[in-house]
Amino acid sequence: MTATNSCHRFATYIDRFYQGQSFLPDNPTNVKEVVGILDSYGYVLDAYQKNLQYIADREFLNLFPFFKYFDGNVSFDRLLKHWWHDRINFEYAEYCMKVMLWHGGGRLEAYIESPEFSDSIELAIQAKIKNKPIIKLLHRLFPEFLPEQVRQSVYYNALGQFWAVMAPIFLTLGKAYEAGKVTTIPDVVNWVKAGLVAAAGNPINYAVEIDGRSYDILPPSANLTFLMDVAVPYVEAIFFRGTPFLGVVSYNAQAHQIPVEQNSFTYGALYADPLPIGGAGIPPTLLMQDMRHYIPPYLHEIYQHTKRKEDDLLVKICQSFQKSMYCVTSATILGLAPYPLDSTDRQQQATNMAYFEGWMDRLLTSQLPNIQG
């Protein structure tokens, strides 16, 4: 069963899934672009995840973490590079963490808002502030302030754990392409899907050490796992919803340029216009600047054969990155399908079709038509 008889506007894309394809057309240029950009993304994500987990572990309840981007290695030389911006822009990783925290969703959000979580983290809070009378007073006067800082640490850690899985998936993809093992867009999608499925049940646990004692923040008893409790909320928050970028839309409530409801946001990676990349207040600019350091030669060659060559490099990187995110989204959608696509059971076929059409409804206003070259 395919979508051929469906009246859905994007029925063609649903048919692609049943034919073993993806959102992105399969051609050699798209393969080079997607693999090359994901390879560079893998290097950046590896740096991001290490810093996020460092902050979660070592800067726990540090209200003034001046050196949080240094991973514990502070030197005058690194300070100069930091001030000169000769460094990885960890601010973008924090932006993604805050977007996830704000949008929430899934069992992770439900757990950190539960009484069980509040009771367990109080032990860690008390241990951390026991010799800090001013912070003790702050905690007494504003009892929700420090717990909210702990919730933020949870998302630092959870996003770090997520990217710690994704980075090697993308880096090994690049090596597989160079070895001739990955040659098509479906190969890319299947590679990412296999990595997601393999890590699906990985537990998401988080503990901090204070004065030689370990305190569970996300204990094993919470039964949180990689795919459903971190990966899916990440896709929802970063790929779909996102946040409106300063300078692009008005935050004035009377202008009505931003939806009232969070679940109506369409500012994520799948919707974003690549052209504003490089402008002030556009967080993905930081990511594009980071990835440009790791662009492989075969992707540089593609950019050199365009009209502007690399004069608009960040925009080109963003366009390639957006294509790659549609491949990752394809892998996620296929990996979460309710039933096998080759099922002969009519009820299962109908359930799969409704599932795919639900995703397509969300992409009606996305950049999907613009990546079909």
Side-chain angles (χ1 to χ4, degrees):
M1 178 179 180
T2 68
T4 304
N5 297 322
S6 171
C7 62
H8 197 282
R9 175 182 166 187
F10 281 178
T12 301
Y13 298 105
I14 301 177
D15 279 337
R16 286 189 188 177
F17 286 136
Y18 281 98
Q19 295 164 11
Q21 300 294 317
S22 75
F23 286 130
L24 189 66
D26 182 23
N27 60 60
T29 300
N30 278 343
V31 174
K32 282 186 178 181
E33 275 195 74
V34 168
V35 172
I37 210 68
L38 287 179
D39 188 34
S40 60
Y41 190 43
Y43 286 103
V44 174
L45 285 193
D46 188 52
Y48 284 174
Q49 65 89 8
K50 289 174 182 175
N51 183 249
L52 287 173
Q53 296 197 69
Y54 168 81
I55 293 173
D57 294 339
R58 303 301 178 188
E59 301 287 354
F60 181 76
L61 287 184
N62 179 359
L63 302 184
F64 302 100
F66 294 114
F67 300 109
K68 61 184 177 181
Y69 297 142
F70 290 81
D71 295 340
N73 181 19
V74 182
S75 66
F76 184 68
D77 182 57
R78 291 198 69 187
L79 276 171
L80 290 178
K81 289 183 177 181
H82 183 87
W83 292 331
W84 193 252
H85 289 276
D86 181 16
R87 59 184 176 89
I88 294 292
N89 292 291
F90 294 118
E91 292 91 339
Y92 181 74
E94 281 193 307
Y95 162 77
C96 290
M97 176 277 296
K98 290 177 180 177
V99 173
M100 284 187 70
L101 173 62
W102 191 59
H103 283 298
R107 292 192 306 166
L108 179 58
E109 181 191 25
Y111 180 75
I112 66 171
E113 296 294 342
S114 69
E116 178 187 349
F117 177 79
S118 298
D119 292 343
S120 66
I121 65 170
E122 186 62 26
L123 295 173
I125 291 173
Q126 292 299 332
K128 188 70 175 181
I129 68 175
K130 67 179 181 181
N131 297 318
K132 301 175 180 178
I134 295 178
I135 306 299
K136 275 188 173 183
L137 177 61
L138 176 70
H139 186 44
R140 189 174 297 114
L141 294 174
F142 305 99
E144 281 302 311
F145 178 72
L146 292 183
E148 190 62 20
Q149 302 307 304
V150 177
R151 292 186 184 97
Q152 182 169 277
S153 292
V154 165
Y155 274 89
Y156 271 111
N157 180 269
L159 180 55
Q161 290 190 61
F162 171 67
W163 278 342
V165 170
M166 299 309 297
I169 291 176
F170 297 148
L171 291 172
T172 55
L173 171 66
K175 291 181 174 60
Y177 172 76
E178 293 175 359
K181 297 178 182 178
V182 170
T183 59
T184 67
I185 290 296
D187 287 345
V188 174
V189 172
N190 289 331
W191 187 278
V192 175
K193 184 177 74 171
L196 290 171
V197 171
N202 287 5
I204 300 297
N205 301 325
Y206 171 37
V208 293
E209 185 174 306
I210 303 172
D211 296 333
R213 179 181 171 185
S214 180
Y215 294 85
D216 281 334
I217 307 298
L218 294 180
S221 60
N223 294 318
L224 300 173
T225 57
F226 169 83
L227 184 63
M228 296 307 299
D229 301 317
V230 180
V232 172
Y234 175 84
V235 169
E236 178 70 34
I238 305 302
F239 287 16
F240 284 90
R241 296 187 185 181
T243 58
F245 301 143
L246 292 168
V248 177
V249 297
S250 172
Y251 274 62
N252 188 319
Q254 283 70 42
H256 302 293
Q257 291 187 6
I258 299 174
V260 175
E261 301 295 332
Q262 283 178 247
N263 58 13
S264 299
F265 276 28
T266 53
Y267 302 102
L270 303 181
Y271 300 83
D273 181 356
L275 291 181
I277 291 300
I282 311 296
T285 299
L286 299 175
L287 174 62
M288 307 310 146
Q289 288 175 337
D290 288 338
M291 286 196 291
R292 70 186 170 89
H293 297 295
Y294 302 98
I295 297 297
Y298 55 83
L299 186 50
H300 271 295
E301 185 180 357
I302 290 177
Y303 296 155
Q304 285 290 346
H305 284 82
T306 59
K307 288 184 178 180
R308 295 186 179 180
K309 297 187 177 180
E310 296 192 11
D311 289 344
D312 57 347
L313 181 60
L314 295 186
V315 175
K316 286 187 171 68
I317 290 175
C318 184
Q319 290 171 327
S320 299
F321 181 70
Q322 196 163 58
K323 288 182 178 182
S324 74
M325 291 302 98
Y326 274 100
C327 289
V328 174
T329 303
S330 297
T332 303
I333 292 174
L334 290 170
L336 294 173
Y339 300 103
L341 299 193
D342 59 358
S343 172
T344 57
D345 182 282
R346 296 188 66 83
Q347 183 60 46
Q348 292 182 1
Q349 291 175 346
T351 301
N352 276 345
M353 186 58 62
Y355 165 80
F356 287 129
E357 288 181 348
W359 281 104
M360 295 303 106
D361 286 341
R362 300 194 63 187
L363 292 169
L364 286 174
T365 58
S366 73
Q367 294 287 323
L368 182 57
N370 300 326
I371 63 160
Q372 299 305 309

